[in-house]
Amino acid sequence: MRYFITGTAGFIGFHLARRLLEEGHEVVGFDGMTPYYSLRLKEARNAALVQFPSFHAVMGMLEDGELVKDNVSAFRPDVIIHLAAQAGVRYSLENPKAYLDSNLVGSWNILEAARDIGVGHLMLASTSSVYGANPGIPFHETDKADEPLTFYAATKKSTELMAHSYAHLHKIPTTAFRFFTVYGPWGRPDMALFKFVKAMTEGDEIEIYGEGKMSRDFTYIDDLVDSIIDLSRILPSEDNRVPDIDTLSHQAPFRLVNIGGGQPVGLLDFIETIERLMGKPAKRRMLPMQKGDVPRTFASPDLLVALTGKKPEISLAEGVGAFLEWYSQHRQDIG
C-alpha cells in the first residue's frame, strides 16, 4: 500500500515509517525539520529511512498548504497518517503561536489534501492531554474532554473536531488516536526518559516535578506502531461498531481510539526502574508541579482491544532496557 506520513523525522513517525517500509509498503514522509530539539537526531532518523528505495522524503512545513496538497496529489496515497505537530506541553506556555500554526493551520491543510484526493483512510494523532485533569479513571474515549489545561491540548482537541467535520462533510473515513506517554529508542530529548538517562549518565541531577507524585500510562513505541497499523486496516463503519463503548460517530465515518495499556506507573517507580537497569542512583531534585502538567494519565484500552484484539503489553523494564541499549550506542552521534 501507499502511505503518506507527516513527521517521519520525528520519534513516532520514524518508527512507523520504518516498520511499513520493512513490510514492503511505499511511504512518502513529510517533515519540516524544525529545531524544537536536536536536528542531528532528526537527520539520523531520516538517514535511516532514505536507505529504503520505497521511501521518499519531502522537506517542508505543514503551514505551506500548496506544498502539502501538491505532494499528496502526486503520490495519491491509500492512507494518510498525520503525526507531525508542534509537541511538548511545557513549550506551549512559551511559544503558543507555534502550536497555532502547526497544529491547527497545518492540520487543516492535511484535511484539505485528504478531501482533494478522496483518501481511503485518514489517521490523526491526538494526545491523552485532551483529558486534562479528568478525575474519572481510567480515561475512556467517551469521557468529556472539554477542559484542556494547555494550549497544546486545546489544539489537539480542536484537530479532532475539525477532522470530524471533514469526515461528515466529505465522507472521509477518519480515525483519531490518543497517545499515552510514548517512549523507546530514538525518542525525543525533551521527554522524561531521555532527560533522566542523559542526566544520570553525565552525573547531573534529574528534575522531578510534582514532588514525584505523578503517574503516567507509559506506552512502548513498538506497541504503539502495532496499534496504528492495526487500526489503519479498520475503517470506521457501522459494520464494526462496538456496542456501548464505541466513539464511532452517528454523523460521520469517524472514530476516536485510546492507544495505551491501562497500566499507569508512578513517577518514582519509573525512576527506580531506570536506576536499577543503569546500576546507579539518580541525584534527585524535587520540584513543584509545573503549570499545565496533569497529575496522572490512565488509558482505558477497551475499545482498542475490541477493535484489534490486543493492547500495549511491553513491560516498562523491557522498554527502558531497549532505550538504554540504543542510547549507549548512539549518544555520541546525536548531540
Side-chain angles (χ1 to χ4, degrees), residues 3-319:
Y3 291 83
F4 186 95
I5 303 175
T6 67
T8 47
F11 171 38
I12 295 170
F14 162 71
H15 279 276
L16 177 62
R18 186 172 64 174
R19 177 78 66 81
L20 291 169
L21 291 164
E22 288 170 347
E23 292 180 359
H25 302 289
E26 291 183 68
V27 175
V28 165
F30 189 99
D31 202 289
M33 289 287 186
T34 56
Y36 171 60
Y37 61 82
S38 169
L39 285 177
R40 286 173 61 187
L41 177 55
K42 294 183 177 184
E43 288 164 355
R45 295 185 187 125
N46 192 63
L49 294 178
V50 298
Q51 302 303 311
F52 292 87
S54 53
F55 177 75
H56 176 65
V58 177
M59 297 302 153
M61 300 298 289
L62 288 171
E63 298 92 311
D64 187 342
E66 289 305 312
L67 183 65
V68 171
K69 282 188 181 183
D70 288 348
N71 279 279
V72 169
S73 179
F75 184 53
R76 312 267 332 162
D78 302 297
V79 182
I80 295 174
I81 305 179
H82 177 38
L83 300 170
Q86 177 56 61
V89 169
R90 291 165 188 152
Y91 186 61
S92 68
L93 304 175
E94 303 170 23
N95 188 10
K97 190 173 186 300
Y99 294 75
L100 176 70
D101 293 340
S102 177
N103 300 6
L104 293 180
V105 176
S107 294
W108 175 69
N109 286 334
I110 292 293
L111 294 173
E112 284 282 281
R115 180 199 67 174
D116 285 351
I117 68 163
V119 72
H121 196 178
L122 172 62
M123 306 187 75
L124 303 152
S126 188
T127 172
S128 61
S129 296
V130 300
Y131 292 108
N134 193 328
I137 54 172
F139 299 161
H140 295 87
E141 296 92 338
T142 52
D143 292 343
K144 284 187 66 176
D146 297 330
E147 298 178 351
L149 300 186
T150 64
F151 190 57
Y152 166 68
T155 62
K156 286 297 193 176
K157 181 61 187 291
S158 299
T159 297
E160 294 177 2
L161 297 174
M162 292 192 301
H164 180 273
S165 72
Y166 268 64
H168 166 67
L169 293 169
H170 308 296
K171 309 308 176 192
I172 304 169
T174 303
T175 301
F177 30 82
R178 292 171 173 169
F179 296 154
F180 283 73
T181 314
V182 187
Y183 73 103
W186 297 96
R188 286 191 357 233
D190 63 320
M191 298 293 284
L193 178 57
F194 202 119
K195 290 170 66 176
F196 289 170
V197 169
K198 183 177 187 293
M200 290 170 65
T201 300
E202 298 173 359
D204 296 331
E205 287 183 329
I206 64 171
E207 296 180 333
I208 304 174
Y209 293 102
E211 305 292 340
K213 297 176 183 177
M214 296 187 291
S215 63
R216 293 290 183 266
D217 199 345
F218 292 95
T219 308
Y220 187 65
I221 184 64
D222 288 357
D223 278 335
L224 181 79
V225 168
D226 285 344
S227 296
I228 294 173
I229 292 174
D230 288 344
L231 289 170
S232 75
R233 299 167 180 147
I234 303 170
L235 297 181
S237 165
E238 287 294 337
D239 295 338
N240 53 40
R241 180 182 289 277
V242 179
D244 301 325
I245 63 171
D246 209 340
T247 56
L248 181 67
S249 171
H250 290 284
Q251 286 78 38
F254 177 92
R255 176 183 274 131
L256 282 167
V257 186
N258 286 340
I259 301 182
Q263 297 179 314
V265 174
L267 182 54
L268 295 182
D269 292 331
F270 176 59
I271 292 167
E272 288 169 6
T273 299
I274 299 171
E275 291 175 324
R276 176 169 53 82
L277 292 172
M278 289 186 69
K280 63 189 299 184
K283 299 175 184 177
R284 305 184 184 196
R285 183 184 177 202
M286 294 296 189
L287 296 169
M289 185 88 79
Q290 281 209 326
K291 185 185 295 186
D293 271 351
V294 297
R296 65 190 169 202
T297 63
F298 188 166
S300 166
D302 293 348
L303 179 56
L304 179 66
V305 172
L307 291 169
T308 69
K310 58 187 178 183
K311 64 177 182 176
E313 296 282 7
I314 293 174
S315 71
L316 186 64
E318 183 180 352

Side-chain angles (χ1 to χ4, degrees), residues 314-333:
I314 293 174
S315 71
L316 186 64
E318 183 180 352
V320 170
F323 176 84
L324 290 173
E325 181 179 353
W326 170 82
Y327 185 79
S328 67
Q329 295 172 359
H330 292 274
R331 70 187 184 94
Q332 301 299 329
D333 304 323

